Amino acid sequence: MAKFVVDDAVSGAWGRLTSDASTTSWIACGYPEGSSNQLVFKGEGAGGMPEFLAKLPADDIVWGAIKVVAVDDRGNLVSRRPKYVMVKYAPPTVAAMKRAKSGGHKGAVKQVFTSHVDIEVESVDELTEESIIVKLRACGGAHQPTSYEFSNYSGTTSPLPSSRSLSPAPTPASNPAPVPAPAPAPAPAVVTPEPEPVVPPAAVEETSTTTACTTEEAAAAAPVNDEATGLEEDTEALAV
């Protein structure tokens, strides 16, 4: 079994695609006539993804790559970062054996096309801006761009899908207002209990209204014993 070889021209095309000094925005590579063990350079252009799609053949396998610019517009700051997408295009019109064999070449191609994401399609209709945006967002971090450019990289942008649009991050205030200190809690009210009314002791009812008598009065008041008096008188007469 012959070893699969990537032609040097393929590496050169990838270098032009990723160079800041180059206007190349897509490249296309494939198999030479009658061979499936070598990947050769087929073409390139500056028209972005629309031009790349227009150049895809109807009956041949293409290993290609396109440049997408991620734009992060936060109002006072705009950043632009290129992203590279590797594309394998294998239409159903290609012989099944050739398509199956090309699947084993992906690892060798990825060693040259060090892209951010890769995608495999069978028709031109499958390769859409939205499908690529979904993959780019999935491999990105928490900070996502606000739009992507697939052509006309100097101005025209492709916004994120409406269902996945991101709101610009809020700009923190340079001099935030101080946070007022919380008001102290009111002191608990002191309740002074009212003195209980003093109830004067109940007047002691006199149990007897009779005033104590003197000895003489008591004696005078005592009842006279007639028998004792008679005895005294008899004693006095005998004495005489």
Side-chain angles (χ1 to χ4, degrees):
M1 182 177 179
K3 181 181 178 180
F4 179 71
V5 177
V6 177
D7 194 74
D8 291 341
V10 175
S11 299
W14 176 259
R16 292 189 296 275
L17 176 67
T18 57
S19 173
D20 293 337
S22 173
T23 59
T24 300
S25 58
W26 65 269
I27 59 174
C29 306
Y31 303 103
E33 186 71 26
S35 173
S36 59
N37 295 319
Q38 183 182 11
L39 188 68
V40 297
F41 172 69
K42 293 281 188 176
E44 65 182 71
M49 180 174 164
E51 186 178 38
F52 173 77
L53 293 175
K55 298 291 184 179
L56 291 177
D59 56 357
D60 203 1
I61 296 175
V62 172
W63 291 93
I66 59 176
K67 179 172 74 174
V68 178
V69 176
V71 181
D72 190 15
D73 187 351
R74 302 293 169 175
N76 57 345
L77 179 65
V78 179
S79 64
R80 301 161 62 83
R81 299 183 302 277
K83 304 291 183 180
Y84 300 99
V85 182
M86 186 183 82
V87 179
K88 180 191 177 184
Y89 167 74
T93 54
V94 177
M97 184 63 70
K98 185 175 182 178
R99 294 176 60 192
K101 190 175 182 179
S102 67
H105 301 157
K106 184 175 182 178
V109 177
K110 283 179 70 71
Q111 289 183 357
V112 179
F113 293 173
T114 54
S115 59
H116 293 88
V117 297
D118 60 85
I119 187 169
E120 297 185 22
V121 297
E122 293 184 350
S123 68
V124 174
D125 296 336
E126 292 180 51
L127 189 59
T128 63
E129 293 182 359
E130 184 174 9
S131 65
I132 294 176
I133 288 174
V134 170
K135 283 184 168 288
L136 289 173
R137 288 193 61 202
C139 74
H143 188 81
Q144 296 285 337
T146 56
S147 62
Y148 291 90
E149 294 176 348
F150 290 82
S151 63
N152 299 327
Y153 302 107
S154 60
T156 304
T157 62
S158 175
L160 293 173
S162 58
S163 60
R164 304 179 180 88
S165 59
L166 302 176
S167 301
T171 304
S174 56
N175 294 312
V179 179
V190 178
V191 179
T192 305
E194 297 182 0
E196 296 182 358
V198 179
V199 180
V204 179
E205 296 182 356
E206 293 184 355
T207 58
S208 175
T209 57
T210 306
T211 305
C213 299
T214 61
T215 303
E216 292 81 1
E217 291 174 341
V224 179
N225 191 331
D226 293 339
E227 294 182 358
T229 305
L231 291 175
E232 290 177 358
E233 290 178 354
D234 293 340
T235 303
E236 290 177 357
L238 292 176
V240 172

